[in-house]
Amino acid sequence: QVQLVESGGGLVQAGGSLRLSCAASGSILSINTMGWYRQAPGNQRELVAIIRSGGTGYVDSVKGRFTISRDNAKNTVYLQMNKLKPEDTAVYYCYVVVNVARDFANAYWGQGTQVTVSS
């Protein structure tokens, strides 16, 4: 019903930047919430950033370095990642809550994109 396509991952040196994109398509009435999670090997999946109509939120470890934004017309969410650190290395997953009816929503996960930061 709804598909999420992620892009923008890659290999960078510490201090570099990457911009992740996640585009949603399919049966979408509107977007409720969009966000980014990440998971490193052996670690729990953690919320990195989230964006709603009311504002944005970030995990403490990325505050001041990462910026989440979205283009409502394109149903796309972005994560600008600056001053990357090796600790940021993980698979990054897009998360989107889609309004499919006035009082009903479904959550979807992207396929994941690898971000690797070398020291």
Side-chain angles (χ1 to χ4, degrees):
Q1 185 173 347
V2 174
Q3 298 80 42
L4 305 180
V5 179
E6 300 181 31
S7 63
L11 173 64
V12 298
Q13 290 186 309
S17 298
L18 286 173
R19 190 191 192 206
L20 306 183
S21 298
C22 175
S25 63
S27 182
I28 300 172
L29 179 63
S30 62
I31 299 294
N32 184 325
T33 300
M34 305 186 87
W36 292 93
Y37 287 73
R38 67 186 180 188
Q39 187 167 22
N43 290 5
Q44 299 284 336
R45 185 174 296 187
E46 67 172 346
L47 176 65
V48 178
I50 191 166
I51 185 167
R52 307 185 186 96
S53 61
T56 59
Y58 302 89
V59 66
D60 286 343
S61 61
V62 309
K63 288 181 178 177
R65 300 188 296 119
F66 291 10
T67 302
I68 188 171
S69 62
R70 70 182 186 184
D71 185 332
N72 292 333
K74 297 180 179 180
N75 288 328
T76 299
V77 63
Y78 306 93
L79 185 66
Q80 179 66 47
M81 305 184 294
N82 298 325
K83 301 177 181 178
L84 283 161
K85 303 176 180 179
E87 306 92 270
D88 297 318
T89 296
V91 177
Y92 284 69
Y93 296 92
C94 178
Y95 175 79
V96 178
V97 180
V98 177
N99 295 320
V100 297
R102 287 189 177 183
D103 297 302
F104 191 82
N106 288 332
Y108 298 89
W109 291 96
Q111 82 279 8
T113 184
Q114 177 70 48
V115 171
T116 302
V117 184
S118 62
S119 60

